[in-house]
Amino acid sequence: MASRSLFCRNVGAFQLCRKIPLLSASRCCSRTEPEPLTVKQQNNGIRRILLNNPKKRNALSLSMLESLRENILTDADSEDLRVIIISAKGPVFSSGHDLRELTSAQGREHHTKVFDTCTKVMTLIQDIPVPVIAMVNGIATAAGCQLVASCDVVVATETSSFGTPGINMGLFCSTPAVAIGRAVPRKVAMEMLLTGTPISAQDALLHGLISKVVPEQRLEEETLAIARKVCQSSRAVVALGKATFQRQMAQGRDAAYATASRVMVDNLALRDGQEGIRAFIEKRRPEWSHTAEKAHD
């Protein structure tokens, strides 16, 4: 009798549910909060930023770019931040710009805003005082490839690929070419840009677009190993070194040496510069201040 009673109640509930309009269900679902375009978390000096829109192939829409920029900029000057890792959810690291934002219906003003924002993100990655590592597992094309080329270090899986297919859609990848053309030999960059043919992870490594190729199961381990190694150094010294590297790479040989020589002297004047030398002489671990405090003028 108990089982019969339970069955009757279930039937009654089913009949009741059949009378509820479907509109109510859709209204309920519409209240669900959308997934954030990027996800940020930080632990032990390492900030991890995840591109979190796999359904749209992690396209760098204006909203995605603005979210990524905010995640990078937040507390960027904090001594607790030592390195940033950018990765992506799904089989595509990033497919580049959202083409729906680049139609005539959006207009020239919107197009300008998209590319201006993208430029700000790419230059921010190179100008921010901490190293930025791209952890790539999948396809990176157009502005997605530009994002990879803009990072300081790139670790990619063996099945990842990189390309600039804009030419096939009537849109030459001119802005990605700025970063890619500074990362790989000119003729390699031009072949990528003119044909749109993607290159493999091994070719990307050969030509200098990425730093390391690893099996997928070791991607996170290898990337975190680099990040943790960075965290062992003085933040102030790393920041000075990164900024100097970017500056001298844009200069001729003689100007680059003049710049680098001045910075070496500045580095020696830092408290952490002198601490590192003393620790080496005394055969002990250095105790970094991670600040730009000077030991002498």
Side-chain angles (χ1 to χ4, degrees):
M1 288 297 293
S3 61
R4 177 179 175 82
S5 174
L6 179 60
F7 173 78
C8 289
R9 286 200 299 273
N10 287 340
V11 169
F14 173 72
Q15 290 174 337
L16 178 61
C17 287
R18 290 183 64 188
K19 297 176 183 178
I20 299 174
L22 289 176
L23 183 59
S24 298
S26 65
R27 280 176 179 165
C28 178
C29 293
S30 68
R31 294 173 189 159
T32 304
E33 288 292 325
E35 284 282 316
L37 293 174
T38 60
V39 178
K40 174 176 69 72
Q41 63 176 12
Q42 186 169 324
N43 189 34
N44 296 325
I46 301 172
R47 176 175 299 173
R48 303 190 63 169
I49 302 173
L50 177 75
L51 306 183
N52 190 44
N53 195 10
K55 289 182 179 179
K56 292 194 174 181
R57 298 164 64 88
N58 292 311
L60 296 179
S61 63
L62 181 58
S63 296
M64 173 76 91
L65 287 166
E66 288 172 340
S67 181
L68 178 57
R69 184 167 182 257
E70 181 183 351
N71 286 168
I72 295 171
L73 273 175
T74 302
D75 297 325
D77 294 324
S78 169
E79 292 174 19
D80 293 331
L81 176 62
R82 311 294 296 287
V83 63
I84 294 173
I85 297 174
I86 299 176
S87 60
K89 184 177 181 180
V92 178
F93 179 79
S94 175
S95 59
H97 291 293
D98 186 344
L99 296 181
R100 291 176 180 81
E101 294 187 340
L102 305 182
T103 65
S104 295
Q106 298 295 328
R108 189 179 185 91
E109 185 176 343
H110 183 79
H111 298 167
T112 300
K113 187 174 183 180
V114 168
F115 289 107
D116 284 351
T117 304
C118 185
T119 296
K120 288 176 181 176
V121 170
M122 303 303 166
T123 55
L124 172 63
I125 287 170
Q126 296 188 325
D127 293 343
I128 196 171
V130 298
V132 180
I133 304 172
M135 187 171 80
V136 183
N137 183 22
I139 302 165
T141 57
C145 190
Q146 179 185 2
L147 177 59
V148 169
S150 298
C151 290
D152 299 302
V153 178
V154 182
V155 184
T157 58
E158 297 164 323
T159 55
S160 296
S161 62
F162 308 85
T164 51
I167 190 68
N168 300 324
M169 294 168 281
L171 187 66
F172 196 89
C173 286
S174 293
T175 46
V178 174
I180 295 167
R182 284 162 171 75
V184 305
R186 183 175 300 186
K187 288 178 174 59
V188 174
M190 284 302 293
E191 182 180 351
M192 292 175 67
L193 294 161
L194 290 169
T195 67
T197 304
I199 62 174
S200 67
Q202 289 295 342
D203 282 343
L205 177 65
L206 174 67
H207 298 308
L209 181 61
I210 65 178
S211 314
K212 184 177 287 190
V213 178
V214 299
E216 183 176 346
Q217 63 270 23
R218 286 177 47 206
L219 177 62
E220 186 157 346
E221 175 189 348
E222 294 283 347
T223 305
L224 285 173
I226 296 171
R228 288 171 183 142
K229 186 67 176 176
V230 171
C231 288
Q232 292 175 13
S233 300
S234 162
R235 187 187 195 276
V237 173
V238 168
L240 182 63
K242 175 177 173 175
T244 305
F245 181 82
Q246 296 291 348
R247 191 183 320 135
Q248 63 88 11
M249 284 297 289
Q251 297 175 327
R253 183 195 63 186
D254 293 346
Y257 268 119
T259 294
S261 295
R262 285 195 302 272
V263 173
M264 289 292 288
V265 173
D266 292 339
N267 195 156
L268 286 170
L270 289 176
R271 174 181 167 183
D272 280 355
Q274 290 300 309
E275 166 61 14
I277 292 173
R278 282 195 304 272
F280 179 82
I281 294 171
E282 296 168 6
K283 295 181 173 56
R284 60 174 175 81
R285 286 181 178 274
E287 297 179 5
W288 306 122
S289 71
H290 299 298
T291 69
E293 182 181 345
K294 291 189 176 182
H296 61 261
D297 293 331

